Amino acid sequence: MKILVVGAGYVGLVSGTCFAEFGFDITCVDKDQTKITQLQKGRVPIYEPGLDSLLQKQIDAGRISFTTDLKNNIADADVILIAVGTPTDISNRQADMTYVYAVAQEIAPYLTDYKVVVTKSTVPVGTAEKVRQIILKENPNANFDMVSNPEFLREGAAIEDFMKPNRVIVGTDSESAKKIMGEIYRPLFLNKTPVVYVSIPTAELAKYASNAFLATKISFINEIADLSEKVGANVQDIAHCMGLDKRIGSKFLHAGPGYGGSCFPKDTMALAEIGKEHHARQMIVEQVIETNHKRPFAMVKKILHAMSGDIQDKKIAILGIAFKPNTDDIREAPALKIIPELQKNGAKIHAHDPVAQDNATEILKDITWHSNPYDAIDGAHAVVIITEWNEYRALDTRKIYQLLKEKNIIDLRNIYNAETLSGQGFHYVCVGV
């Protein structure tokens, strides 16, 4: 079985590498020559734990190759997996399908022998059908079937999610395509992974629905955190009580500065726009988007209040820029809103992030970057924890106490114990307590 992966970004590279680990013959195509050259040398252009070693293993075994030549790699492929980006079109808040449709036009003339064309990217309902129409318009005799096979990969845990998924969703109306998709996911049968076969529109919508629901849990617990602060409750205890209910579960019930990244902001906006387009407005999702938009600014108010409202010319140490741990992804990260607001109020920002600093320097200006958190903290009037990296969980608080000019710790991820830090003499502020 030969799989052609179009797009060597996050989804395409992880999927191609993991399918190669299953033993399939993988070719990854991307228009970015610099990226392809890096990958041919085994250099991973993204930060994803474990991906570099797994990719090198596949290269050494000869199971994966990289090229910019799409045209000459179509004929040998059994499956063409479209994994190009679907960023938000800022003009209408919908998913931009330019790259997906461009792939459809490019492959259409060469679909002479039977192929399964798979949309792996997160796409609006109707995309697979649109891809089908584009192909048939370009080549009425094209021999292929369409499949929607949405990815559910968490940044920082993508390999585990691919190898041990909660489920695999396959949308198809073809028995031939169903058989082939069953074959490429056969290695997961040993783990008894549920492979769910549904209609194409169902598969397309299931991805948006899943991400929107998880985003809803985040925004919900953040609003409960606000209420908890008003009435003297503890949101961490509330989340624990809620999570023990198996109907609810504990995942994503962590109060904080809001969600970010490449998926939740993009997918919630796209789902809201799909609802408007089809006259079935997603009112809950629309409110989730609004709540999350306001959240970083509420965190700025929290920081200002903790520092008595005056941060003019004060040094604030920011720990964590990435939208979550184990990734260098800063897309829609709360830090990108929090830091500029602090700067508008006169703060001098000193920051540290284990892997996201290079990406952040292109966006965040007038920041002093440090190679370790203690250097950022030295002489600061406050420490603000925005990303819950593991290395921040066990910092030497006695050393921090000595380094801080003013003993303020504003923990926006609740990674420390309030009673413990307050007992050590800190002015400790967290979320929802």
Side-chain angles (χ1 to χ4, degrees):
M1 183 80 70
K2 292 186 178 182
I3 302 175
L4 177 62
V5 179
V6 186
Y10 187 83
V11 173
L13 184 55
V14 171
S15 299
T17 302
C18 291
F19 275 130
E21 174 70 3
F22 288 167
F24 297 114
D25 184 353
I26 308 298
T27 300
C28 285
V29 178
D30 198 284
K31 292 183 179 295
D32 187 336
Q33 181 63 65
T34 300
K35 180 191 294 185
I36 290 299
T37 300
Q38 283 184 306
L39 289 168
Q40 288 170 339
K41 296 176 180 178
R43 298 174 186 168
V44 178
I46 59 175
Y47 181 83
E48 179 61 38
L51 182 57
D52 51 355
S53 58
L54 187 62
L55 175 60
Q56 189 61 57
K57 178 183 175 184
Q58 308 316 313
I59 292 173
D60 293 343
R63 289 192 291 263
I64 192 168
S65 61
F66 299 94
T67 181
T68 58
D69 184 357
L70 175 58
K71 173 183 174 181
N72 291 315
N73 283 281
I74 296 173
D76 291 337
D78 299 293
V79 176
I80 301 172
L81 194 153
I82 302 174
V84 294
T86 55
T88 299
D89 185 337
I90 59 174
S91 67
N92 57 22
R93 294 163 60 96
Q94 297 178 352
D96 184 350
M97 303 308 297
T98 301
Y99 304 111
V100 172
Y101 297 153
V103 172
Q105 288 184 315
E106 196 166 349
I107 66 174
Y110 308 102
L111 300 182
T112 51
D113 297 330
Y114 178 74
K115 315 289 183 191
V116 175
V117 178
V118 181
T119 52
K120 193 69 174 170
S121 309
T122 301
V123 296
V125 177
T127 297
E129 182 57 32
K130 178 65 174 178
V131 169
R132 189 200 308 270
Q133 292 171 5
I134 290 171
I135 292 173
L136 290 175
K137 182 178 180 180
E138 294 288 325
N139 178 8
N141 297 317
N143 186 8
F144 72 104
D145 280 316
M146 286 301 307
V147 168
S148 173
N149 177 217
E151 54 85 17
F152 294 92
L153 304 177
R154 295 170 298 162
E155 292 187 54
I159 294 173
E160 179 183 2
D161 285 348
F162 195 99
M163 297 296 192
K164 298 178 181 179
N166 293 321
R167 78 289 202 198
V168 173
I169 297 176
V170 177
T172 183
D173 53 8
S174 162
E175 285 300 319
S176 297
K178 179 178 178 180
K179 182 178 179 180
I180 289 176
M181 295 302 292
E183 182 63 24
I184 69 172
Y185 282 111
R186 183 175 54 82
L188 296 179
F189 293 169
L190 295 176
N191 297 328
K192 298 183 179 180
T193 298
V195 179
V196 184
Y197 294 96
V198 294
S199 69
I200 290 177
T202 299
E204 291 172 330
L205 189 54
K207 172 60 186 286
Y208 281 117
S210 297
N211 278 358
F213 185 77
L214 295 176
T216 299
K217 292 183 75 174
I218 294 172
S219 289
F220 175 84
I221 202 64
N222 282 339
E223 292 195 339
I224 293 296
D226 291 342
L227 181 58
S228 297
E229 292 176 6
K230 299 291 186 182
V231 303
N234 186 311
V235 74
Q236 292 172 284
D237 291 340
I238 292 170
H240 177 64
C241 293
M242 291 174 62
L244 292 174
D245 188 327
K246 294 180 180 179
R247 298 169 301 173
I248 298 174
S250 61
K251 302 271 187 194
F252 292 85
L253 289 178
H254 302 288
Y259 60 77
S262 63
C263 293
F264 286 5
K266 174 174 68 73
D267 293 352
T268 50
M269 283 193 290
L271 181 58
E273 294 305 314
I274 291 169
K276 292 175 184 177
E277 181 183 350
H278 293 276
H279 306 290
R281 287 187 64 173
Q282 304 297 292
M283 301 299 291
I284 293 174
V285 176
E286 290 181 29
Q287 184 57 52
V288 166
I289 295 168
E290 180 66 18
T291 297
N292 193 67
H293 172 73
K294 294 178 179 179
R295 191 64 181 172
F297 302 104
M299 297 298 98
V300 172
K301 291 181 180 179
K302 179 182 287 290
I303 296 166
L304 291 170
H305 185 264
M307 299 180 69
S308 302
D310 181 17
I311 60 174
Q312 183 67 42
D313 294 323
K314 289 190 175 182
K315 175 180 175 180
I316 297 180
I318 300 291
L319 300 187
I321 304 296
F323 85 94
K324 72 172 187 176
N326 297 321
T327 180
D328 62 352
D329 194 342
I330 63 170
R331 285 174 287 182
E332 303 293 333
L336 300 188
K337 294 180 180 178
I338 292 172
I339 289 174
E341 288 298 311
L342 294 176
Q343 290 174 320
K344 288 179 184 178
N345 283 273
K348 307 299 182 184
I349 304 297
H350 289 243
H352 172 267
D353 188 286
V355 301
Q357 289 186 189
D358 288 345
N359 291 340
T361 54
E362 300 177 6
I363 298 175
L364 297 170
K365 305 301 180 182
D366 300 320
I367 291 178
T368 302
W369 296 96
H370 297 273
S371 59
N372 73 76
Y374 296 111
D375 287 346
I377 292 168
D378 191 8
H381 296 82
V383 178
V384 178
I385 302 171
I386 300 183
T387 311
E388 66 276 32
W389 285 96
N390 281 337
E391 66 182 79
Y392 298 155
R393 296 178 182 273
L395 292 173
D396 186 339
T397 53
R398 290 172 296 184
K399 183 175 181 179
I400 292 175
Y401 189 89
Q402 293 172 347
L403 292 173
L404 280 174
K405 189 170 185 177
E406 294 179 7
K407 314 308 178 183
N408 297 306
I409 295 182
I410 299 100
D411 181 0
L412 302 185
R413 294 293 184 174
N414 293 355
I415 66 175
Y416 284 98
N417 180 276
E419 185 177 342
T420 299
L421 264 66
S422 296
Q424 292 177 354
F426 290 102
H427 176 217
Y428 178 77
V429 176
C430 56
V431 178
V433 179

